[in-house]
């Protein structure tokens, strides 16, 4: 049995406390009206404002109507920036919230695949995977509440939730048969319930299999895993449209669902590897050997490349054809989010490919921890890139709100995952493949 | 110096593996082992050095990547930077996404083919090469271990008979 070390528990509480403080600070310092925005902008850009000022002084002949028009434009600009800055702490929270929830969903998908594929190597890791997916119910509740808050107009992340916007936007209005709050929130509820139901019953059957004297629970798990995977791939795709793509309601992409999937799937696998390495280093996983770690590292490597393939396919198809209504998505990201946009490719592709291509490196703990850290950070940045441009646009910055949100959810994640790991033995007893898995050697 | 070798023939891969381990423990030098199919762990039991073919492939892949990059840069950017459908041919990076499929395929092409050719050269395989089969049965269902004879021949023969060989032959090699 695993015991949650008090050090780690304290660490997770500190992360949550610091995160909460930072999140609160982010909300308190968000500007409340356009006067504050004006001050922020003036403080941000002395040079450019000075220039603008002298120019208007020079042109006395500017007609009154033009002046009023300029004034109106200025106010409009300030309102725009105000919305972005007010969205910023919400978006920071949203990115971290969805990232950790989907990470544990990615682990759940990997776990289901291992069950259905009757993999002979992974049963010794099933309890680790179940520990990580224990975050899913917690994360789902927080995430669902967040979506409800969006629907109650506490924030302005999803612009199609704003009836004002829809009334003046034909493109969004035409999509309102799909993008309307009741349908959207019901879909979210169904998806989250479905995933959590699979997680709950799969865990329950796995524990029951330990006590049973035949394989009926194992077979049950096989069947529900197969059904879950079918449900998952459909809901995952729709989820990516609902929760991420609809932040840019004027844009659409067909392979977006797969792209999002690859991103959180590789994060989930990386997290399995990281938790396994941690538990192994504490001496809790005696049956896990370097071959298991090696296999996880191969999955990290392979799915990283898969993510890159989808990233590039999506980017290159749109870049090549350069259709105005599609390309704006990437124009925004390249011009305003240049470093995070291309930095994500370096972190999620170049770095893991060069590090994890070597067979020996895939067995060295510190190399894997380093590669895993970069992959996880890289996929956080990936979600940042998907979400932020649609909500805060040019006002993005990785500051207190963003870091604090990640710290809060990381602390919560550590607390939930490692608490769950204490609740069951780390080795499934009567899994039909457990002997093979114990002696797995590559 | 005599050119005699012993052919110890086995009909089971488990027995062969045991024999190889015993032979190594007795410090007899194994010249070669012939098997009809890959026997897992045989290379480790024989103490063979790991292959470096993967390292070669990686370097070949880098060559292919460089070649693809150089080729597209020379043709599309340096030599004749035409405007083809509005694609930006001002610098390589401007038009890079269009070249990535070529760069990727060149990398794979070079890595795969040069690695295969390296394999053929290192294992001395080519058409019309004379087969080096010491016993035709080794391609079907028998395993053969070839050990050089140094010193006492009878002792060696009885050693290999003790390892479960179905047949032990002493052969004069040219």
């Amino acid at each position: 049995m695993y015991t949650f070390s008090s050090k780690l528990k304290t660490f997770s509480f500190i992360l949550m406390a610091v995160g909460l403080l930072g999140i609160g600070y982010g909300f308190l310092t968000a500007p409340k009206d356009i006067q504050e925005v004006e001050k922020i902008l003036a403080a941000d850009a002395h040079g450019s404002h000075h220039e603008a000022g002298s120019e208007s002084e020079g042109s006395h002949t500017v007609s009154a109507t033009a002046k009023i028009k300029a004034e109106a434009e200025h106010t409009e600009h300030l309102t725009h920036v105000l919305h972005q800055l007010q969205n910023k702490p919400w978006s920071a929270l949203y990115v971290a919230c969805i990232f950790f929830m989907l990470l544990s969903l990615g682990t759940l998908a990997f776990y289901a695949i291992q069950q259905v594929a009757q993999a002979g190597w992974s049963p010794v890791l099933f309890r680790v995977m179940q520990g990580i997916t224990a975050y899913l119910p917690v994360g789902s509740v927080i995430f669902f509440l967040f979506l409800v808050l969006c629907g109650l107009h506490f924030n302005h992340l999803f612009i199609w939730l704003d009836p004002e916007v829809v009334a003046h936007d034909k493109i969004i209005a035409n999509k309102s048969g799909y993008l309307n709050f009741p349908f959207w929130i019901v879909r979210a509820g169904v998806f989250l319930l479905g995933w959590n139901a699979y997680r709950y019953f799969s865990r329950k059957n796995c524990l029951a299999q330990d006590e049973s004297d035949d394989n009926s629970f194992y077979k049950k798990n096989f069947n529900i895993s197969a059904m879950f995977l079918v449900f998952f791939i459909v809901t995952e795709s729709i989820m990516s449209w609902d929760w991420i793509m609809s932040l840019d309601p004027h844009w659409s992409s067909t392979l977006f669902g797969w792209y999002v999937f690859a991103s959180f799937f590789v994060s989930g696998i990386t997290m399995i590897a990281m938790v396994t390495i941690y538990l192994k280093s504490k001496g809790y996983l005696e049956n896990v050997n370097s071959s298991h770690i090696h296999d996880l590292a191969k999955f990290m490597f392979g799915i990283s490349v898969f993510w890159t393939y989808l990233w590039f396919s999506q980017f290159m198809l749109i870049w090549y054809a350069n259709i105005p209504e599609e390309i704006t998505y990437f124009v925004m990201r390249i011009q305003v989010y240049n470093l995070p946009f291309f930095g994500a490719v370096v972190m999620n592709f170049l770095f893991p490919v060069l590090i994890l291509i070597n067979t020996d490196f895939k067995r060295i703990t510190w190399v894997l921890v380093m590669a895993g850290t970069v992959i996880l950070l890289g996929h956080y940045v990936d979600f940042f890139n998907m979400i932020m441009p649609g909500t805060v646009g040019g006002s993005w910055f990785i500051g207190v709100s963003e870091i604090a949100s990640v710290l809060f959810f990381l602390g919560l994640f550590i607390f939930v995952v490692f608490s769950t790991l204490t609740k069951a033995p780390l080795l499934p007893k009567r899994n039909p493949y457990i002997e093979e898995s114990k002696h797995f050697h590559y | 110096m005599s050119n005699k070798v012993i052919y110890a023939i086995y009909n089971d891969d488990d027995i062969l593996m045991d024999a190889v381990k015993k032979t190594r423990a007795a410090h007899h030098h194994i010249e070669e082992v012939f098997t009809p199919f890959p026997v897992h762990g045989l290379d480790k039991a024989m103490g063979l050095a790991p292959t470096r073919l993967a390292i070669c492939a990686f370097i070949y892949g880098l060559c292919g990547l460089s070649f693809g990059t150089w080729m597209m840069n020379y043709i599309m950017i340096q030599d004749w930077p035409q405007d083809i459908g509005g694609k930006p041919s001002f610098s390589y990076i401007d038009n890079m996404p269009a070249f990535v499929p070529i760069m990727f395929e060149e990398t794979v092409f070079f890595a795969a083919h040069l690695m295969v050719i390296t394999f053929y050269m290192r294992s001395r395989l080519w058409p019309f090469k004379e087969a080096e089969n010491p016993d035709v049965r080794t391609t079907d269902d028998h395993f053969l271990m070839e050990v050089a004879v140094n010193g006492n021949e009878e002792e060696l023969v009885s050693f290999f008979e003790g390892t479960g060989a179905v047949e032990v032959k002493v052969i004069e090699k040219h």
Side-chain angles (χ1 to χ4, degrees), chain A residues 283-301:
Chain A
Y284 285 109
L285 294 170
E286 51 174 330
N287 291 301
V288 172
N289 55 42
S290 60
S291 294
H292 295 101
I293 309 280
H294 189 150
D295 260 29
L296 285 171
K298 279 190 280 189
F299 271 107
M300 281 159 65
F301 173 83

Side-chain angles (χ1 to χ4, degrees), chain B residues 27-47:
Chain B
H27 296 292
H28 298 305
H29 178 68
I30 302 172
E31 298 278 344
E32 192 67 88
V33 175
F34 296 87
T35 64
F37 53 77
V39 178
H40 281 287
L42 185 60
D43 51 340
K44 278 217 180 86
M46 286 172 71

Side-chain angles (χ1 to χ4, degrees), chain A residues 238-253:
Chain A
I238 301 173
M239 165 278 278
S240 72
W241 313 332
D242 280 6
W243 301 342
I244 301 178
M245 202 158 79
S246 79
L247 290 162
D248 297 278
H250 285 191
W251 181 79
S252 59
S253 163

Side-chain angles (χ1 to χ4, degrees), chain A residues 76-117:
Chain A
E76 199 183 314
H77 170 67
L78 288 180
T79 318
H80 184 60
V81 176
L82 173 69
H83 281 154
Q84 292 185 340
L85 289 176
Q86 283 180 333
N87 268 344
K88 203 170 160 290
W90 286 102
S91 305
L93 204 61
Y94 188 64
V95 175
C97 184
I98 197 171
F99 176 72
F100 278 98
M101 188 196 64
L102 290 185
L103 184 154
S104 73
L105 180 65
T107 307
L108 192 66
F110 187 75
Y111 168 77
I113 290 169
Q114 297 297 313
Q115 299 265 4
V116 172

Side-chain angles (χ1 to χ4, degrees), chain A residues 312 315-316 319-320 354 357 441, chain B residues 58 87-88 94-95 97-98 100-101:
Chain A
F312 183 71
F315 171 66
M316 196 257 227
W319 171 88
Y320 215 117
L354 292 179
I357 198 164
H441 181 75
Chain B
F58 184 74
K87 284 277 165 292
D94 274 339
N95 211 356
V100 166

Side-chain angles (χ1 to χ4, degrees), chain B residues 5-72:
Chain B
V5 291
I6 283 186
Y7 283 168
I9 300 175
Y10 303 87
N11 57 8
D12 186 282
D13 48 343
D14 287 334
I15 299 171
L16 172 78
M17 285 289 281
D18 283 343
V20 166
K21 280 171 197 158
K22 278 182 199 157
T23 313
R24 289 257 297 163
H27 296 292
H28 298 305
H29 178 68
I30 302 172
E31 298 278 344
E32 192 67 88
V33 175
F34 296 87
T35 64
F37 53 77
V39 178
H40 281 287
L42 185 60
D43 51 340
K44 278 217 180 86
M46 286 172 71
L48 298 181
T51 173
R52 288 168 296 190
L53 213 50
I55 299 170
C56 292
F58 184 74
I59 294 167
Y60 299 147
L62 291 183
C63 293
L65 181 65
S66 313
F67 175 72
T69 311
W70 170 81
M71 179 174 73
M72 298 319 291

Side-chain angles (χ1 to χ4, degrees), chain A residues 58-309:
Chain A
S59 48
H60 282 293
T61 49
V62 175
S63 68
T65 49
K67 225 174 208 172
I68 291 164
K69 207 178 160 197
E71 196 85 337
E73 262 171 28
H74 184 57
T75 317
E76 199 183 314
H77 170 67
L78 288 180
T79 318
H80 184 60
V81 176
L82 173 69
H83 281 154
Q84 292 185 340
L85 289 176
Q86 283 180 333
N87 268 344
K88 203 170 160 290
W90 286 102
S91 305
L93 204 61
Y94 188 64
V95 175
C97 184
I98 197 171
F99 176 72
F100 278 98
M101 188 196 64
L102 290 185
L103 184 154
S104 73
L105 180 65
T107 307
L108 192 66
F110 187 75
Y111 168 77
I113 290 169
Q114 297 297 313
Q115 299 265 4
V116 172
Q118 304 182 8
W121 66 280
S122 51
V124 292
L125 300 172
F126 278 176
R127 290 288 152 82
V128 176
M129 297 182 205
Q130 287 169 359
I132 294 173
T133 55
Y135 177 76
L136 188 64
V138 180
S140 302
V141 170
I142 300 175
F143 183 77
F144 190 76
L145 289 179
F146 193 101
L147 294 188
V148 171
L149 289 185
C150 292
L152 297 176
H153 307 293
F154 277 83
N155 58 55
H156 212 251
L157 296 189
F158 297 90
I159 56 165
W160 56 266
L161 278 172
D162 186 346
E164 268 297 289
V165 172
V166 180
H168 295 101
D169 193 321
K170 256 197 170 159
I171 297 176
I172 299 180
N174 282 335
K175 294 183 180 180
S176 60
Y178 181 78
L179 287 181
N180 61 73
F181 179 67
F183 191 23
W184 181 71
I185 202 75
V186 167
R187 280 198 303 266
V190 170
F191 299 170
L192 293 170
L193 279 179
W195 302 335
N196 279 297
Y198 168 68
R199 198 221 84 96
Y200 174 77
F201 288 111
S202 173
R203 163 90 168 174
K204 206 175 136 195
N205 288 338
C206 188
L207 294 179
Q209 174 69 27
D210 272 8
E211 310 302 326
S212 134
D213 43 19
D214 59 8
N215 285 338
S216 58
F217 287 106
Y218 171 80
K219 286 176 186 161
K220 251 183 217 160
N221 253 0
F222 178 92
N223 291 334
I224 63 171
S225 301
M227 288 188 288
F228 165 73
L229 284 172
V230 175
F231 176 76
F232 169 76
I233 204 58
V234 175
T235 52
E236 189 277 332
S237 197
I238 301 173
M239 165 278 278
S240 72
W241 313 332
D242 280 6
W243 301 342
I244 301 178
M245 202 158 79
S246 79
L247 290 162
D248 297 278
H250 285 191
W251 181 79
S252 59
S253 163
T254 38
L255 64 69
F256 195 73
W258 279 106
Y259 170 68
V260 174
F261 166 70
S263 190
F264 69 75
F265 193 52
V266 69
S267 309
I269 294 168
T270 307
M271 192 50 93
I272 299 172
M274 304 280 267
V275 175
T276 305
I277 288 170
Y278 172 78
L279 291 174
K280 175 90 187 146
S281 76
K282 296 284 171 197
Y284 285 109
L285 294 170
E286 51 174 330
N287 291 301
V288 172
N289 55 42
S290 60
S291 294
H292 295 101
I293 309 280
H294 189 150
D295 260 29
L296 285 171
K298 279 190 280 189
F299 271 107
M300 281 159 65
F301 173 83
I303 310 294
S304 284
V305 175
F306 178 62
W307 173 86
T308 316
Y309 167 65

